[in-house]
Amino acid sequence: MNDATDVQEADVLVVGGGLHGTSSAFHLARRGAKVIVLEADYVARHSSGVNAGGVRTLGRPLPEIPLALMSREMWHGMSDLIGEDGGFVPSGQLKIAETDDELEACRERVALLESRGFTHEKVIDRQTVLELEPALARHVTGGIWVERDGYALPFRTTTAFRLAAQKLGARFLEGAPVRRIEQRGTRWFATTPRGTFSAKQLLVTAGAWSGELAKQVSEPVPVHPEGLMLMVTHRVAPFCRATLGATGRPLSFKQFDNGTVVIGGKLIGIADLANRHGEVDFVRLVKSARTVTDLFPHLRHLGVNRAWAGVEAFTEDELPVISASRKASDLYYSFGYCGSGFQLGPGCGKLVSELMLDGAPSISLDAFAVDRFSRGAVSVAGASQLITH
Ligand SMILES: Cc1cc2nc3c(=O)[nH]c(=O)nc-3n(C[C@H](O)[C@H](O)[C@H](O)COP(=O)(O)OP(=O)(O)OC[C@H]3O[C@@H](n4cnc5c(N)ncnc54)[C@H](O)[C@@H]3O)c2cc1C
């Protein structure tokens, strides 16, 4: 236990031990920074440890695509990077169209992406969809296929980044909720029940709780929590290889090697920010189960084993905040990943380390600036029309 009167020093304080905190800590430590990560609960307790594990560039809003493509290459080289692959399986991701109109929307989306130089999403016809996934219902009309996407194991990945950061000297304190952040002179101070910590730079990666910390420096951000739900089924003989989504209704779907099927797709449950947990809304889960049995009728009698919800941060324009503060020096933010931040974790940690140590990231983060909301923004015009959940 630290003595509350001692101030412990570092180069960088990271507030929040989810994937964005652990990945940023790893990349910062790799560059030689002395890092302390302060985590209110335990590392990977929230979204980063309980999500669907989708490693998906498919369907991203336009401004996120360069980040997602860069991050995806890191997923493919994860073992070399951190000595563990996070359970990454390059299964491919397939977004299914169920009507001709939906297929037309897929074509328009891919044409728009190609007009901006992005060629990672491919439109495929009904026959190709059924060749890829023969167990799918016959009414499908086609879809979008991204071969290099896949899925990974969230708790394992986040823990792996933590261990890799620790090997490079980063310190993690769990059960250390930061109650107050304050800049005195050129140093930041973070007050926790486990003592006070100080560093020149401070990074907020506190997920759905980040808005509270930004408020403390008079930088309110329109971020709100949602409880996103998932369910996992009993085991069933292998029938599906790709990670699936649907064009016209929410779905994220994958079968693990052990036969269980994980079903989600930004299904909104209940977020209890004050008590730090999410709750399942079973009525809404039933709706999602119906989508699954429409697409895979042979699953009609498959039982659900477990359901849960994690608390995630959403912003008004469905883009994250990855930015230096505009109100205070040496303060940085990386939060608000709107249900899609697992895939971005490895890459955004690197970009954040570049922003903090070099002053300029290797990929522009302008679209994610913290002051875009107050500017009436948005340099991300057209982003929402490109979001297909
Ligand atoms: C059910 C579900 C399914 C999802 N599926 C996918 C998917 O398939 N693919 C995908 O890319 N993304 C998915 N996501 C989204 C993804 O999980 C998140 O975007 C990502 O994990 C966010 O990481 P984070 O580090 O920003 O936040 P978190 O994981 O929430 O971590 C923030 C941490 O900060 C800590 N903290 C908060 N306040 C304080 C404080 N004051 N002091 C100290 N610590 C604090 C919290 O305890 C927490 O551990 C899903 C999310 C959920 C909930």
Side-chain angles (χ1 to χ4, degrees):
M1 257 315 212
N2 302 313
D3 183 328
T5 58
D6 284 345
V7 175
Q8 298 186 49
E9 308 266 345
D11 299 326
V12 181
L13 297 178
V14 177
V15 183
L19 183 56
H20 286 275
T22 55
S23 170
S24 301
F26 165 74
H27 289 288
L28 286 161
R30 206 173 178 217
R31 297 275 311 270
K34 193 176 159 198
V35 181
I36 296 178
V37 181
L38 301 167
E39 165 53 48
D41 292 314
Y42 57 90
V43 169
R45 159 65 185 87
H46 292 286
S47 282
S48 298
V50 304
N51 64 60
V55 175
R56 177 180 58 77
T57 62
L58 199 170
R60 292 267 167 193
L62 194 59
E64 279 184 6
I65 293 175
L67 282 56
L69 291 174
M70 182 271 259
S71 201
R72 187 179 64 185
E73 294 319 302
M74 293 173 79
W75 280 102
H76 282 267
M78 199 73 91
S79 297
D80 292 337
L81 185 68
I82 57 170
E84 140 84 86
D85 67 6
F88 176 61
V89 177
S91 63
Q93 289 241 2
L94 173 60
K95 180 153 276 197
I96 300 154
E98 297 180 79
T99 64
D100 290 340
D101 283 352
E102 286 178 14
L103 183 56
E104 188 47 35
C106 291
R107 288 201 190 97
E108 282 171 16
R109 151 109 185 153
V110 169
L112 182 56
L113 290 193
E114 287 178 356
S115 74
R116 309 289 176 95
F118 298 119
T119 56
H120 57 294
E121 297 191 13
K122 307 281 180 209
V123 176
I124 56 174
D125 62 16
R126 175 175 182 276
Q127 190 186 335
T128 312
V129 167
L130 291 173
E131 278 166 13
L132 280 169
E133 295 302 338
L136 270 171
R138 305 286 110 177
H139 73 271
V140 299
T141 54
I144 301 179
W145 172 237
V146 179
E147 194 174 1
R148 278 179 75 73
D149 282 359
Y151 68 85
L153 300 178
F155 191 84
R156 186 166 142 190
T157 300
T158 306
T159 303
F161 269 100
R162 176 224 183 119
L163 293 174
Q166 275 177 325
K167 268 195 197 150
L168 295 169
R171 286 182 59 208
F172 285 75
L173 278 98
E174 298 177 303
V178 172
R179 305 268 193 241
R180 182 161 177 70
I181 57 171
E182 191 185 0
Q183 192 178 33
R184 288 183 228 140
T186 58
R187 293 193 73 80
W188 281 96
F189 291 81
T191 311
T192 82
R194 295 193 62 186
T196 300
F197 299 82
S198 167
K200 178 157 192 316
Q201 294 183 308
L202 188 139
L203 169 64
V204 174
T205 51
W209 295 268
S210 301
E212 292 303 315
L213 294 165
K215 245 187 237 162
Q216 291 186 17
V217 295
S218 305
E219 193 156 39
V221 183
V223 59
H224 70 277
E226 297 284 5
L228 295 186
M229 303 185 290
L230 286 177
M231 58 186 142
V232 63
T233 69
H234 294 306
R235 292 171 194 230
V236 59
F239 67 95
C240 176
R241 202 188 153 273
T243 305
L244 303 186
T247 307
R249 38 188 175 170
L251 179 71
S252 130
F253 179 99
K254 69 184 68 73
Q255 184 176 31
F256 289 117
D257 286 345
N258 67 7
T260 58
V261 179
V262 174
I263 302 165
K266 300 198 180 173
L267 308 174
I268 305 292
I270 298 148
D272 185 345
L273 211 55
N275 291 307
R276 312 185 65 78
H277 74 114
E279 277 179 37
V280 171
D281 177 334
F282 283 95
V283 176
R284 291 185 189 157
L285 269 191
V286 169
K287 200 170 156 200
S288 171
R290 202 162 292 134
T291 305
V292 171
T293 54
D294 285 352
L295 288 168
F296 291 102
H298 77 286
L299 297 184
R300 195 163 294 124
H301 302 294
L302 185 63
V304 169
N305 214 354
R306 197 159 70 88
W308 66 92
V311 180
E312 168 70 321
F314 282 77
T315 60
E316 273 176 0
D317 58 8
E318 302 209 39
L319 294 176
V321 174
I322 316 169
S323 175
S325 165
R326 301 295 192 254
K327 295 278 182 188
S329 58
D330 293 318
L331 174 63
Y332 298 85
Y333 302 115
S334 175
F335 65 87
Y337 283 91
C338 304
S340 306
F342 180 65
Q343 191 273 351
L344 292 172
C348 285
K350 179 165 186 289
L351 294 173
V352 165
S353 73
E354 293 166 353
L355 178 66
M356 293 180 73
L357 300 181
D358 307 329
S362 49
I363 294 177
S364 169
L365 295 173
D366 291 351
F368 312 105
V370 66
D371 61 347
R372 68 183 188 267
F373 307 103
S374 54
R375 275 192 265 126
V378 185
S379 54
V380 294
S384 55
Q385 85 195 60
L386 287 166
I387 298 168
T388 55
H389 294 301

